[in-house]
Amino acid sequence: MTTVAAGERLAVSARQVTRAFDGREVLSGIELDIRRGEFVALLGRSGSGKSTLLRAMAGLDPRTGGRLLVPRKRAVVFQDPRLQPWKRVLENVVLGPPRAGARERGRAALAEVGLAGHERAWPATLSDGEAQRAALARALVREPELLLLDEPFGALDALTRLRMHALLRALCAAHRPAVLLVSHDVDEAILLADRILVLTEGRLGPARTVDLAGVRRRTDPAFARLRGELLAELGVTEEE
């Protein structure tokens, strides 16, 4: 994998990307471009290869085949916040090699995600939502050109998840990274993404562009229509 962006307008360029495990091909010739500042959601059933593709973009899987161009500056947020329990919140946010001004940027990032005043808190004292806010701050303090989100809100309760959706939209609007969100949640994808893709048997289906004018509202007929189309592509009925 080459860690150089594809061009001025592209943050990600994937060409014929493949990955196999024990002879079973999980990614089969993936072709995908993500523009700078674009938010792309990737849906798929469990085991479809969503997280495999995300890990390849993160540089965590050197055995991925094909051509994958991504920025050097990228960050990953997982479902588990992965905060180190023996370090206070600010130390978790600025984790890594010492960098000039890191602590100041860490405090600013914590304030941006609503955790001002929690700098010296221990991770064990945070709620699930607060811990995931700290994980977002840790990603943003690195000023990534590509933000990779692997079901970051999957373990949160419904109300906290809604608040995190609003926070993520605001953060992405402010920082404008390219974003790839891996999710099982069709509603979440429609609420957040500019473009939605479904991964089935290692291949990407046609992209669906989200109309920002109305689809963001669950009460809009276009929301229900797009939701139904995506569920059908996933092989799921409304009753399920």
Side-chain angles (χ1 to χ4, degrees):
M1 183 184 70
T2 306
T3 57
V4 179
E8 289 185 4
R9 295 191 175 184
L10 289 181
V12 173
S13 176
R15 296 291 178 269
Q16 291 298 307
V17 171
T18 60
R19 181 66 167 98
F21 295 92
D22 298 324
R24 183 176 72 90
E25 198 167 54
V26 176
L27 300 178
S28 304
I30 296 294
E31 302 269 334
L32 174 63
D33 290 334
I34 302 177
R35 297 185 300 275
R36 294 180 181 275
E38 184 182 22
F39 196 126
V40 173
L42 182 61
L43 298 171
R45 287 177 172 267
S46 295
S48 63
K50 304 184 303 299
S51 293
T52 300
L53 181 57
L54 181 141
R55 286 175 60 83
M57 290 186 185
L60 300 175
D61 189 351
R63 288 177 287 183
T64 304
R67 179 171 172 266
L68 181 56
L69 303 180
V70 296
R72 289 190 177 90
K73 294 178 68 176
R74 55 199 190 277
V76 187
V77 179
F78 297 98
Q79 186 177 116
D80 182 338
R82 302 192 179 189
L83 302 179
Q84 295 187 355
W86 56 89
K87 291 181 180 290
R88 296 182 188 270
V89 168
L90 180 59
E91 279 63 43
N92 268 284
V93 169
V94 300
L95 194 66
R99 299 182 302 277
R103 295 180 70 82
E104 289 71 18
R105 288 196 299 273
R107 290 189 182 91
L110 284 169
E112 198 171 6
V113 301
L115 289 180
H118 288 70
E119 292 85 355
R120 291 192 53 76
W122 294 105
T125 68
L126 302 180
S127 68
D128 291 342
E130 288 170 339
Q132 202 60 300
R133 286 172 184 262
L136 277 173
R138 183 177 55 198
L140 291 173
V141 80
R142 287 153 178 77
E143 300 177 344
E145 296 172 42
L146 175 62
L147 180 60
L148 300 164
L149 305 169
D150 195 357
E151 300 191 59
F153 311 133
L156 303 179
D157 65 79
L159 289 178
T160 303
R161 194 180 305 130
L162 289 175
R163 295 188 185 100
M164 293 300 289
H165 288 166
L167 173 63
L168 181 60
R169 281 198 300 268
L171 292 172
C172 289
H175 294 270
R176 301 298 297 162
V179 181
L180 179 70
L181 167 71
V182 163
S183 179
H184 286 102
D185 189 334
V186 172
D187 287 18
E188 179 174 79
I190 298 172
L191 289 168
L192 292 173
D194 303 315
R195 192 157 49 104
I196 303 172
L197 296 158
V198 176
L199 186 62
T200 306
E201 296 181 353
R203 298 186 180 277
L204 290 173
R208 288 176 171 81
T209 301
V210 180
D211 178 7
L212 301 181
V215 180
R216 301 294 192 198
R217 298 189 299 273
R218 285 186 171 88
T219 55
D220 194 290
F223 187 105
R225 188 163 51 250
L226 179 55
R227 185 176 190 273
E229 291 173 0
L230 291 167
L231 287 173
E233 190 171 349
L234 289 163
V236 180
T237 64
E238 290 282 356
E239 290 72 20
E240 290 179 279

